[in-house]
């Protein structure tokens, strides 16, 4: 009753704002970095348009989208105007795929195009040279091409693109009615005639036809240059739609990015090389080998003065002069979903672990990694010891490791069941650790010395589905857990025996509160949500706020305790996929959240 009466609504003065977006979308996107006249870098991650200043190491954000940004273009006639295309989202009014045209200085949305026209998502966008039109490629079965008048905000022409995937589209420089699309086994030269689009296929003739054309750029003379899945470069005559010059074997594997500066062509490929070629004869001028083990492949190239920005397959970004050792300015997780994260108990830092087998310990002030480790298996969960000296990391296969948080040294390793581990936590005194598995059990270990071998003391058996969250009580004697079938149970943390009297648990204070069920948080469930829709929860250290992460890309802020079904809350968007983790940082002035499939990390300020 006392908690119920403490309900205080979230006011306009209590909000979250994005302080930093970690990572860059390179895993499934390419040629998606632009350099602005201010020497800032324009790119996207999840549902956020990001502008990063390499000199000041600061970011600015466009937050108009409600789901995955899939494509981006910069207006050649006015480089303060950006177009970004998104996938289908959850918003009632603007949830369909569409293109947003916005100002990158004021972040004002100038136009929303394509609502009701586009089916699956916007795979590519391009401005006409005079900046009056935007071309959008739908990812539906017909890969339909739409031309939109920005001022009138209507489609002025459309035509089925190709039965096979269309990977990109670009207007020909100086030609407001001519553009090129390319993709699986084709390159097509288009011309707009009123409300009609006329297309003619490019001719490969005797030249090796690739399975995919993967990249396109233009020389200063307006000649198209393509890179393909065979690693070849072709220079085209746009009038005859024929290849005029070729460079076979420019890269080992696919060419993912082509950019032109002066009379030189820069390319990035699957071999993790950036190469320079002459525009006149496609002769190779120089080659720059990057670390393929760390970065994977080169996905995008942008020029910033005399420097290069290079987007990588592992969702990071490099910066520096061609041939020099580059600085990594943006870090991110690569393969697989991102689920594991933990706040440091004593420092303004946090850890994330991913299915790419990488462990990051982040400095929340500089937004850079303090430590980077590798583990043997895809990682799913992690937790710090109470003194922060060790980090426990759990895998998708039941193995888990205790690492020295300063150097990544494996202090001990364990196997708790045959399935993935989604939740783990040390007791407040650091004398025990609980590990929640997909095999429905919680495994308990005694930590006599937190850096030595742990002793198994039992397991909690009683859940009928996989363990999702767990918390220790203040004294470390009680454990609360939730499971995939929405059970909320209590346990004796010293033996693993279930405590069946919930009345006895009424006055037990939890050291942390991350379980999504329980009387103190029963008001976090909006009308219409089912038990799978809220993925994570965290109570602030001062017991005043609780933040949740849901399946709709939202981070939600409530007062704590939140035990009224009509409790008020505020929602904040930045992620595009299900949000998998959310935690308050030291001091409760910031939180971090993880996006599952979008592999993003967003750091929020609590205002």
């Amino acid at each position: 009753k006392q908690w119920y009466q403490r309900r205080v609504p979230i006011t306009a003065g209590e909000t979250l704002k994005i302080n930093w977006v970690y990572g860059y979308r390179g895993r499934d996107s390419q040629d998606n970095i632009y350099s602005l006249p201010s020497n800032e870098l324009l790119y996207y991650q999840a549902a956020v348009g990001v502008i990063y200043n390499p000199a000041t190491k600061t970011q600015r954000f466009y937050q108009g989208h409600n789901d995955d940004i899939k494509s981006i273009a910069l207006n050649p006639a006015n480089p303060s105007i950006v177009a970004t295309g998104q996938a289908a989202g959850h918003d009632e009014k603007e949830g369909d795929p569409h293109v947003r045209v916005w100002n990158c200085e004021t972040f004002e949305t100038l136009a929303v195009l394509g609502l009701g026209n586009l089916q699956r998502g916007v795979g590519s966008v391009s401005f006409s040279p005079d900046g009056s039109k935007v071309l959008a490629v739908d990812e539906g079965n017909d890969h339909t091409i739409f031309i939109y008048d920005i001022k009138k905000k209507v489609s002025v022409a459309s035509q089925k693109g190709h039965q096979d995937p269309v990977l990109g589209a670009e207007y020909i420089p100086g030609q407001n009615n001519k553009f090129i699309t390319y993709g699986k086994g084709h390159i097509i030269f288009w011309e707009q005639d009123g409300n009609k689009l006329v297309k003619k296929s490019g001719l490969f003739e005797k030249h090796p036809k690739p399975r995919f054309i993967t990249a396109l750029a233009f020389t200063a003379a307006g000649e198209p240059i393509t890179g393909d899945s065979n690693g070849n470069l072709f220079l085209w005559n746009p009038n005859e739609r024929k290849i005029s010059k070729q460079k076979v074997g420019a890269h080992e594997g696919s060419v993912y990015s082509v950019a032109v500066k002066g009379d030189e062509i820069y390319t990035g490929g699957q071999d993790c090389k950036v190469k320079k070629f002459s525009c006149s004869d496609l002769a190779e001028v120089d080659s720059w080998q990057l670390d393929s083990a760390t970065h994977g492949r080169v996905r995008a190239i942008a020029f910033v003065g005399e420097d290069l920005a290079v987007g990588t397959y592992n969702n990071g970004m490099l910066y520096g002069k061609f041939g020099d050792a580059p600085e990594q300015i943006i870090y991110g997780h690569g393969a697989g979903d991102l689920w594991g994260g933990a706040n440091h108990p004593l420092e303004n830092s946090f850890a994330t672990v991913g299915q790419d087998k990488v462990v990051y310990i982040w400095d929340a002030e500089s937004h850079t990694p303090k430590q980077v480790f590798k583990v043997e298996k895809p990682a799913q969960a992690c937790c710090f010891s109470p003194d922060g000296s060790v980090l426990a990391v759990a895998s998708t296969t039941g193995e888990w490791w205790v690492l020295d948080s300063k150097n990544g040294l494996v202090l001990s390793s364990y196997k708790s069941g045959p399935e993935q581990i989604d939740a783990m936590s040390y007791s407040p005194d650091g004398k025990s650790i609980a590990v929640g598995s997909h095999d429905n059990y919680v495994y308990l270990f005694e930590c006599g010395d937190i850096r030595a071998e742990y002793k198994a003391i039992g397991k909690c058996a009683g859940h009928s589905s996989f363990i999702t969250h767990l918390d220790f009580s203040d004294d470390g004697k009680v454990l609360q857990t939730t499971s995939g079938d929405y059970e909320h149970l209590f346990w004796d943390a010293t033996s693993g025996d279930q405590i069946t009297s919930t009345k006895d648990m009424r006055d037990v204070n939890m050291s942390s509160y991350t379980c999504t069920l329980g009387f103190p948080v029963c008001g976090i469930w909006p009308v219409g949500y089912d038990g799978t829709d809220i993925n994570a929860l965290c109570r602030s250290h001062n017991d005043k706020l609780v933040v949740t992460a849901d399946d709709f890309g939202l981070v939600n802020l409530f007062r704590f305790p939140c035990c009224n079904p009509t409790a008020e809350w505020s929602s904040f968007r930045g992620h595009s996929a299900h949000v998998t983790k959310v935690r308050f940082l030291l001091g409760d002035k910031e939180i971090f959240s993880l996006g599952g499939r979008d592999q993003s990390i967003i750091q929020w300020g609590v205002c």
Side-chain angles (χ1 to χ4, degrees):
K1 183 177 179 182
Q2 182 182 11
W3 273 358
Y4 189 90
Q5 291 176 340
R6 276 180 56 195
R7 178 174 67 93
V8 180
I10 292 291
T11 67
E14 292 167 315
T15 186
L16 301 180
K17 69 178 183 67
I18 295 179
N19 285 347
W20 197 263
V21 176
Y22 296 80
Y24 141 84
R25 188 154 188 160
R27 200 77 184 177
D28 58 0
S29 297
Q30 62 192 65
D31 270 343
N32 54 353
I33 304 174
Y34 287 86
S35 176
L36 300 175
S38 59
N39 284 340
E40 295 173 295
L41 294 169
L42 169 70
Y43 59 97
Y44 56 85
Q45 170 70 318
V48 183
V50 182
I51 298 174
Y52 174 76
N53 189 319
T56 61
K57 300 187 185 305
T58 55
Q59 290 182 339
R60 299 184 289 131
F61 312 103
Y62 176 73
Q63 296 176 249
H65 285 281
N66 57 67
D67 211 278
D68 272 313
I69 298 177
K70 306 291 294 283
S71 52
I72 191 167
L74 193 63
N75 189 335
N78 183 354
S80 65
I81 306 301
V82 180
T84 41
Q86 77 158 61
H90 300 288
D91 189 84
E92 291 184 6
K93 294 182 179 180
E94 297 181 348
D96 289 341
H98 62 271
V99 177
R100 303 184 81 85
V101 181
W102 48 279
N103 187 303
C104 67
E105 295 175 358
T106 65
F107 297 107
E108 176 189 1
T109 299
L110 305 176
V112 178
L113 309 172
L115 286 171
N117 297 140
L118 300 157
Q119 296 178 4
R120 293 184 186 170
V122 184
S124 183
V125 289
S126 179
F127 280 99
S128 61
D130 65 0
S132 66
K133 296 181 290 187
V134 166
L135 178 159
V137 180
D138 185 21
E139 292 185 325
N141 292 337
D142 294 326
H143 304 101
T144 303
I145 312 297
F146 290 92
I147 307 295
Y148 294 100
D149 184 300
I150 297 174
K151 187 175 182 180
K152 296 179 180 179
K153 302 179 183 179
V154 295
S155 170
V156 294
S158 64
Q159 171 69 35
K160 290 182 180 180
H162 202 278
Q163 62 183 6
D164 290 322
V166 177
L167 300 184
E170 294 285 348
Y171 271 95
I172 298 175
Q175 302 288 332
N176 289 313
N177 293 315
K178 293 184 178 182
F179 59 92
I180 296 172
T181 62
Y182 59 93
K184 184 177 180 179
H186 71 272
I187 179 170
I188 298 176
F189 293 77
W190 297 78
E191 184 170 1
Q192 179 184 352
D193 182 9
N195 63 354
K196 296 181 179 179
L197 297 177
V198 180
K199 61 180 181 179
K200 295 181 180 179
S201 295
L203 306 175
F204 286 91
E205 298 181 312
K206 62 181 180 180
H207 302 280
K209 185 176 182 179
R211 186 161 181 258
F212 287 91
I213 292 180
T214 50
L216 170 70
F218 295 91
T219 67
E223 298 171 300
I225 311 156
T226 59
D228 62 40
S229 54
N230 293 334
N232 300 332
L233 295 179
F234 294 137
L235 186 66
W236 294 78
N237 182 320
N239 296 319
E240 298 180 358
R241 312 186 318 281
K242 294 180 180 180
I243 296 169
S244 58
K245 293 184 178 65
Q246 69 174 14
K247 178 64 178 180
V248 176
H251 283 269
E252 297 176 18
S254 296
V255 180
Y256 290 118
S257 182
V258 178
V260 176
K261 184 177 183 181
D263 59 357
E264 290 183 321
I265 303 167
Y266 289 71
T267 61
Q270 187 173 344
D271 51 10
C272 207
K273 292 180 180 179
V274 177
K275 291 189 173 185
K276 278 198 281 188
F277 298 88
S278 168
C279 280
S280 60
D281 57 6
L282 298 187
E284 184 173 328
V285 177
D286 206 349
S287 179
W288 186 21
Q289 177 68 64
L290 304 175
D291 184 359
S292 60
T294 302
H295 307 301
R297 311 165 189 172
V298 174
R299 300 290 280 178
I301 298 171
F303 304 105
V304 187
E306 297 300 315
D307 295 318
L308 279 177
V310 178
T312 72
Y313 183 68
N314 288 341
N315 295 333
M317 195 181 300
L318 308 176
Y319 188 77
K321 298 189 183 303
F322 185 95
D324 292 348
E327 174 191 3
Q328 184 157 0
I329 56 173
I330 299 295
Y331 292 80
H333 282 279
D337 284 9
L338 180 60
W339 284 84
N343 56 295
H344 196 288
L346 303 176
E347 299 176 0
N348 191 23
S349 62
F350 62 98
T352 59
V353 300
Q355 293 179 3
D356 56 358
K357 306 179 185 179
V358 177
V359 178
Y360 284 109
I361 298 180
W362 304 94
D363 184 320
E365 294 184 11
S366 67
H367 312 114
T368 57
K370 298 172 67 174
Q371 309 290 342
V372 184
F373 312 133
K374 292 279 286 188
V375 290
E376 296 176 358
K377 301 290 179 64
Q380 186 75 7
C382 65
C383 66
F384 280 102
S385 62
D387 63 1
S389 64
V390 303
L391 178 72
V393 178
S395 73
T396 58
T397 54
E399 288 98 339
W400 58 282
W401 309 270
V402 178
L403 308 181
D404 186 307
S405 63
K406 297 298 183 185
N407 56 30
L409 178 68
V410 178
L411 303 174
S412 55
S413 60
Y414 308 89
K415 174 82 170 177
S416 294
E419 300 185 46
Q420 80 179 27
I421 295 166
D422 282 329
M424 60 193 321
S425 177
Y426 281 95
S427 62
D429 59 7
K431 293 182 178 180
S432 60
I433 187 172
V435 179
S437 170
H438 257 234
D439 65 5
N440 304 353
Y441 296 116
V442 178
Y443 296 84
L444 301 175
F445 292 81
E446 184 181 84
C447 315
D449 180 351
I450 209 164
R451 301 176 66 84
E453 196 75 19
Y454 298 169
K455 177 184 177 182
I457 58 175
K459 65 181 179 181
C460 306
H463 275 293
S464 52
S465 186
F466 57 89
I467 311 303
T468 55
H469 309 284
L470 55 85
D471 298 290
F472 277 96
S473 61
D474 282 342
D475 59 9
K477 295 180 179 180
V478 175
L479 191 69
Q480 71 166 352
T481 57
T482 54
S483 61
D485 59 352
Y486 328 131
E487 285 182 317
H488 179 215
L489 302 180
F490 294 90
W491 313 86
D492 184 325
T494 62
S495 65
D497 295 333
Q498 185 177 349
I499 301 172
T500 57
S501 173
T502 54
K503 181 179 179 181
D504 294 341
M505 298 295 99
R506 181 175 59 184
D507 296 323
V508 173
N509 291 320
M510 290 295 160
S511 176
S512 63
Y513 210 110
T514 63
C515 288
T516 55
L517 301 174
F519 181 71
V521 296
C522 63
I524 66 166
W525 295 88
V527 175
Y529 274 44
D530 65 31
T532 64
D533 287 335
I534 294 181
N535 301 309
L537 174 149
C538 185
R539 181 191 67 194
S540 61
H541 301 92
N542 62 13
D543 295 351
K544 292 183 178 180
L545 297 171
V546 63
V547 64
T548 68
D550 68 26
D551 265 356
F552 308 109
L554 297 175
V555 175
N556 308 293
L557 188 65
F558 298 81
R559 282 286 188 181
F560 184 86
C562 184
C563 39
N564 189 306
T566 60
E568 298 182 17
W569 76 95
S570 298
S571 296
F572 306 92
R573 189 178 297 280
H575 293 284
S576 55
H578 49 287
V579 187
T580 57
K581 188 75 68 178
V582 62
R583 291 290 185 267
F584 279 89
L585 296 176
L586 188 70
D588 294 332
K589 293 182 179 179
E590 289 186 299
I591 68 170
F592 74 88
S593 57
L594 307 182
R597 199 164 292 118
D598 65 30
Q599 302 163 333
S600 63
I601 306 166
I602 298 180
Q603 190 171 320
W604 307 77
V606 181
C607 305

